[in-house]
Amino acid sequence: MKKTYFTLLLLSTLWQLPSIHSASFAQSQDIEFAFLSDIHLQDVYAALHSPDFKGVFNPKTGKYATIRSMKSQLNSTRLFNENYFAFIQALEDLKSKGIQLIVLPGDFTDDGQPMNVLALKKILEIYSREYGMRFFLTTGNHDPVKPFGGIGGKKDFLAADGSEQAIAGDADFFPSGEVAVSSQINYWGYEEITYTLSDFGFFPSEQDLFWAHPFQELNVDGYDFHQAVENSRLDQRLYRTLNSERLLPDASYVVEPVAGIWLLALDGNVYTHSGEDWSGSSVGFNQAVKVKKHQLDWINKVVLEAEKRGKTLISFSHYPLVDFHDSASDEMKSLFGEQKFQLPRVPSRETSSEYAKAGIRIHFAGHMHINDTGIFTDAESGKTLVNVQVPSLAAFPPAFKILTIPEPETLEISTIQLQTVDRMDEFFDLYRIEQQWLLEHQDPQRWDSTILHAKNYRDYTQMHLMELTRSRFIPTDWPENLAYALQLLSQKELEHWAGMDAEEGGMFLMEKLNNSKDIEQTDGLQGKLIEDFYLLKNGDELGKKLIPSDRRHFYEALFLKLLQKPLSDSQALDTQLVRFFRIFEKLYHSLPSDHFLIDLQKGEVKRVDRVED
């Protein structure tokens, strides 16, 4: 990979930076970092430079909106449009809190397209220049989608009449239908993305006390900024894949932005190739531990240097390093199947062990769009690794984490939910035009318009999750009879079933299903049980607070009754129901994930009671 215009631009930009020493950040008593993950930024008013399509005119703003349809949003695990405003709101919240060190653990763009990378750069530059914020990024599977970029496209942009408009970098990208051509929708690769965002961690900054990457020596005492810039070129940060002679970039780095704190950014992206084409994998460290063995060797060196110099090492990546299902993943595989519920993305015990033994004690991750805290202790070494899952700003629960470091071995983490988001409803009138178009064309996937009555952004994302659960998750991920039973049974019937043995319980359940044509409840859950399950799975403590207290009391009593109910390997409905509630109970009684302390020396997590506003 040769030095391009991007390289020259990087070098000239870095050497012109003012000499601002980051140690000034450490003057306050506590050091604070914010973690904002899975922004999936899409420029909602992009300049497509296309003769075929410039967007849909929005009377509210007098501008042409380049947004995706609501239909596409409600079939995706993330929003595409309103998250743009959520990101701005989060930065405004951080500005008001005076927090200036901000980490973005990957998927900071929709798919690494030029229009979205440039939009992100513009936003970050504004907050850096005007409010003194510093941003540290790492790559996610959506940025870059392909290591060297390529032609890209999306079929679901909203058109003026409410239909969907395909946009691609080439007219032949989609085999049928009218395609608007725009190079702004193509995929950028590592070179374009990292050099465009060069000021945000991927390369050395004069504001930092130290910066290094995995393919150079950790020369802390002899650190020289100008030499670091020269050594940071992407063509010097390459590794060889297992089954290819082609060298791929690794954007990992370690940086000391404030005295005493090292941020370890791990690029966990893994790519496979077929001929000349490359595709990315979303599995994470289960593959990276094999494909990027050089990273583990480097992590060991970084950990040793950090310990020797008394530095607090904070690891972050797009991908998690510990089971994020509260140790329920094995039961979930037995009940739902190994390919459901994103289970291939769960780090294996062997993977967690490798990174724990390497010395990582605290790791922040995104990717899963969930709020969670996981802990793993390696049996051989006794080392403990705490994994903090940062929620997505584009899904429920929309939230970010604030890390406070009152002392080197103690971390305090609080979770800030986004409820009020300015301009959240900016496109709602356009969605109503889409809804009318779907109605006129009798589209079977016409969505429920009640989502447009959401009172705030958190409710909006919750309604998004519930619609996604109904239309996608239940039909594809759940055993049919189990899903039906959970929507059918009342509280009294579940309590009655919990006291039966397996044979009697099985007969009771099948009789109930066979005799019921329609779902009816007389005293109970009204189909809310599966919704509560997803509130817990995705939101953890944040979701638990949204479950009414009477249902929480019912679940707690039911868990106790089911302790006496045996569990077999059978796939009978009675066994499936027992297994489901065992999973539910683990998610319900989880580690703290809202406001908590981590004792790095003891490897312990302790809940901090939050005083609600």
Side-chain angles (χ1 to χ4, degrees):
M1 189 178 298
K2 57 187 179 180
K3 187 190 299 181
T4 64
Y5 162 76
F6 288 103
T7 311
L8 298 174
L9 178 63
L10 163 72
L11 296 175
S12 63
T13 301
L14 287 175
W15 278 321
Q16 292 175 20
L17 282 172
S19 180
I20 303 173
H21 206 277
S22 281
S24 60
F25 280 117
Q27 298 304 311
S28 61
Q29 184 177 358
D30 295 339
I31 301 170
E32 292 183 304
F33 290 85
F35 291 79
L36 279 60
S37 191
D38 293 85
I39 298 160
H40 291 285
L41 189 80
Q42 176 180 279
D43 190 347
V44 293
Y45 289 109
L48 295 173
H49 305 296
S50 171
D52 308 309
F53 182 70
K54 57 182 177 181
V56 54
F57 183 74
N58 187 359
K60 280 189 175 181
T61 61
K63 297 189 292 186
Y64 285 87
T66 48
I67 60 174
R68 314 277 275 282
S69 69
M70 177 61 82
K71 175 182 174 181
S72 67
Q73 290 199 121
L74 291 176
N75 280 281
S76 170
T77 55
R78 69 181 192 272
L79 297 169
F80 299 120
N81 305 325
E82 286 67 40
N83 46 304
Y84 179 93
F85 303 119
F87 179 46
I88 302 296
Q89 187 68 61
L91 294 179
E92 286 295 305
D93 288 357
L94 292 174
K95 180 183 75 174
S96 68
K97 290 176 168 54
I99 296 176
Q100 296 180 297
L101 298 167
I102 299 154
V103 177
L104 307 183
D107 281 6
F108 42 76
T109 62
D110 174 58
D111 266 333
Q113 306 98 326
M115 68 183 210
N116 298 326
V117 177
L118 292 171
L120 178 69
K121 178 184 179 182
K122 182 178 180 180
I123 293 170
L124 299 187
E125 285 181 338
I126 290 172
Y127 281 86
S128 298
R129 181 177 62 251
E130 297 187 9
Y131 308 113
M133 292 182 178
R134 304 236 19 236
F135 296 91
F136 301 91
L137 279 59
T138 190
T139 52
N141 55 303
H142 283 271
D143 35 39
V145 173
K146 297 173 181 287
F148 306 108
I151 303 297
K154 302 290 181 184
K155 299 180 70 173
D156 53 12
F157 278 85
L158 188 63
D161 64 353
S163 64
E164 290 185 333
Q165 170 68 54
I167 308 177
D170 188 286
D172 298 325
F173 186 79
F174 295 115
S176 61
E178 294 185 4
V179 179
V181 177
S182 172
S183 61
Q184 290 298 303
I185 204 69
N186 285 333
Y187 302 131
W188 264 0
Y190 268 88
E191 185 173 19
E192 297 92 341
I193 291 175
T194 58
Y195 285 131
T196 300
L197 301 173
S198 61
D199 291 336
F200 310 114
F202 289 123
F203 296 93
S205 168
E206 200 166 12
Q207 298 181 70
D208 297 319
L209 302 173
F210 177 69
W211 187 99
H213 63 74
F215 305 94
Q216 64 178 124
E217 292 298 321
L218 284 171
N219 185 10
V220 182
D221 293 329
Y223 180 69
D224 177 82
F225 166 67
H226 296 290
Q227 186 62 48
V229 171
E230 180 61 30
N231 293 340
S232 70
R233 297 196 319 266
L234 210 58
D235 60 7
Q236 299 188 62
R237 299 160 67 181
L238 304 173
Y239 71 98
R240 192 178 306 279
T241 60
L242 293 177
N243 300 310
S244 172
E245 292 300 309
R246 186 73 183 266
L247 296 175
L248 296 184
D250 181 339
S252 301
Y253 61 91
V254 62
V255 61
E256 185 172 5
V258 295
I261 308 296
W262 280 11
L263 290 177
L264 177 64
L266 298 177
D267 176 1
N269 284 353
V270 173
Y271 300 90
T272 58
H273 70 100
S274 176
E276 292 298 315
D277 192 30
W278 289 82
S279 59
S281 166
S282 62
V283 171
F285 284 106
N286 283 338
Q287 290 182 334
V289 72
K290 303 171 185 175
V291 176
K292 294 184 168 182
K293 291 184 177 180
H294 64 274
Q295 276 189 5
L296 274 172
D297 294 336
W298 179 63
I299 291 169
N300 274 283
K301 295 175 183 177
V302 171
V303 168
L304 288 175
E305 283 291 331
E307 290 176 348
K308 183 171 69 175
R309 299 171 187 278
K311 310 293 184 181
T312 299
L313 182 66
I314 310 295
S315 170
F316 71 97
S317 173
H318 186 55
Y319 305 97
L321 283 175
V322 171
D323 185 348
F324 44 80
H325 285 141
D326 301 302
S327 301
S329 290
D330 288 342
E331 290 95 330
M332 294 175 79
K333 289 177 183 178
S334 298
L335 179 58
F336 300 108
E338 294 190 357
Q339 299 303 311
K340 305 295 185 181
F341 280 84
Q342 305 193 77
L343 288 166
R345 296 176 169 184
V346 175
S348 68
R349 293 179 180 84
E350 291 77 16
T351 296
S352 299
S353 176
E354 288 292 327
Y355 290 90
K357 286 190 292 188
I360 292 179
R361 296 188 293 173
I362 176 68
H363 181 75
F364 287 82
H367 193 41
M368 307 314 304
H369 299 187
I370 64 173
N371 180 49
D372 182 70
T373 306
I375 191 166
F376 175 86
T377 300
D378 179 60
E380 180 182 344
S381 65
K383 293 182 177 179
T384 296
L385 165 59
V386 177
N387 184 91
V388 178
Q389 282 300 132
V390 183
S392 170
L393 294 182
F396 176 84
F400 56 89
K401 303 281 185 179
I402 293 178
L403 165 66
T404 305
I405 309 176
E407 52 189 67
E409 293 295 312
T410 302
L411 308 180
E412 180 178 355
I413 298 171
S414 56
T415 309
I416 310 300
Q417 290 194 80
L418 286 183
Q419 288 193 292
T420 301
V421 169
D422 290 342
R423 301 169 64 187
M424 183 195 84
D425 61 350
E426 190 153 302
F427 306 124
F428 281 17
D429 287 344
L430 302 181
Y431 297 144
R432 292 184 177 98
I433 296 174
E434 175 194 347
Q435 178 79 323
Q436 183 62 33
W437 187 93
L438 294 171
L439 178 64
E440 291 173 357
H441 290 77
Q442 298 181 337
D443 192 305
Q445 294 188 28
R446 190 163 60 95
W447 40 270
D448 186 348
S449 62
T450 57
I451 192 171
L452 301 182
H453 299 291
K455 59 184 179 181
N456 57 47
Y457 188 65
R458 189 199 66 187
D459 288 352
Y460 183 67
T461 58
Q462 184 178 343
M463 294 168 78
H464 170 263
L465 174 62
M466 294 305 108
E467 178 66 15
L468 191 62
T469 299
R470 181 193 64 80
S471 64
R472 175 175 160 181
F473 292 155
I474 292 176
T476 60
D477 289 352
W478 289 71
E480 184 177 358
N481 280 347
L482 175 63
Y484 188 56
L486 290 172
Q487 296 173 84
L488 173 66
L489 294 168
S490 68
Q491 290 187 13
K492 286 184 178 179
E493 288 167 335
L494 281 169
E495 290 170 345
H496 182 52
W497 161 79
M500 299 176 180
D501 62 27
E503 182 178 357
E504 185 183 9
M507 293 176 61
F508 168 77
L509 292 172
M510 293 312 299
E511 181 180 1
K512 184 69 180 175
L513 264 61
N514 292 335
N515 292 338
S516 179
K517 299 294 183 183
D518 301 306
I519 296 177
E520 298 177 355
Q521 279 87 19
T522 57
D523 65 344
L525 297 172
Q526 299 177 330
K528 294 295 184 181
L529 210 161
I530 292 179
E531 291 187 7
D532 291 346
F533 174 80
Y534 277 99
L535 288 178
L536 284 174
K537 188 187 77 67
N538 288 28
D540 205 85
E541 288 186 322
L542 302 183
K544 188 175 182 178
K545 293 176 181 178
L546 298 176
I547 301 173
S549 59
D550 59 333
R551 290 212 298 273
R552 293 203 305 268
H553 294 152
F554 165 71
Y555 295 143
E556 290 163 2
L558 190 64
F559 296 151
L560 292 174
K561 290 192 73 171
L562 288 174
L563 288 175
Q564 308 303 319
K565 203 166 175 66
L567 183 64
S568 69
D569 295 330
S570 168
Q571 289 301 315
L573 181 55
D574 180 81
T575 303
Q576 288 182 343
L577 200 56
V578 175
R579 186 169 286 116
F580 167 77
F581 279 110
R582 297 282 174 89
I583 296 167
F584 198 121
E585 191 273 336
K586 285 191 173 183
L587 298 177
Y588 190 93
H589 294 124
S590 62
L591 286 172
S593 61
D594 180 9
H595 190 192
F596 55 100
L597 294 174
I598 300 175
D599 186 322
L600 291 177
Q601 195 167 37
K602 296 180 180 179
E604 294 178 350
V605 176
K606 181 180 179 181
R607 180 175 285 104
V608 175
D609 291 331
R610 183 191 290 276
V611 177
E612 297 294 341
D613 295 333

